[in-house]
Amino acid sequence: MSYLTSMTAEAILEENIRYDRGGKPVEVVIPYEEFIDFIETYGLDLSDEEKADLLEAQADIKAGRFENFVSAEEAKRQLGI
């Protein structure tokens, strides 16, 4: 399991917060690769259209509408994997 999926966002940030002399948080410092993983893990890099598509897919699954989905095997076949 990767570092980011085993920790909550709050734990990741809390571990890396820098404070000013008065004890107020001023910045969060994490390695760039972990920052990118964080952004991708939590979908912060998705466009509004991609977010809407995900919400629609989740609603379809919840409603039992599976006609717009393909199996992992079919996806691999279509992708030539």
Side-chain angles (χ1 to χ4, degrees):
M1 181 178 294
S2 79
Y3 170 76
L4 288 174
T5 58
S6 65
M7 295 187 70
T8 65
E10 184 177 340
I12 293 167
L13 297 177
E14 186 63 36
E15 251 182 42
N16 299 291
I17 295 176
R18 292 191 181 172
Y19 298 90
D20 66 13
R21 291 183 182 168
K24 292 178 69 176
V26 292
E27 65 184 356
V28 177
V29 180
I30 59 174
Y32 182 77
E33 185 175 307
E34 288 178 21
F35 172 72
I36 295 300
D37 286 344
F38 178 84
I39 296 295
E40 291 174 349
T41 297
Y42 292 97
L44 302 175
D45 59 333
L46 298 175
S47 69
D48 289 343
E49 182 179 347
E50 290 167 323
K51 290 175 188 176
D53 289 345
L54 283 172
L55 291 173
E56 183 180 344
Q58 289 173 333
D60 285 345
I61 290 169
K62 189 173 184 177
R65 295 185 299 264
F66 299 106
E67 60 273 1
N68 293 328
F69 297 93
V70 296
S71 67
E73 294 80 20
E74 176 62 17
K76 287 178 183 179
R77 188 192 65 73
Q78 290 179 12
L79 295 169
I81 298 175

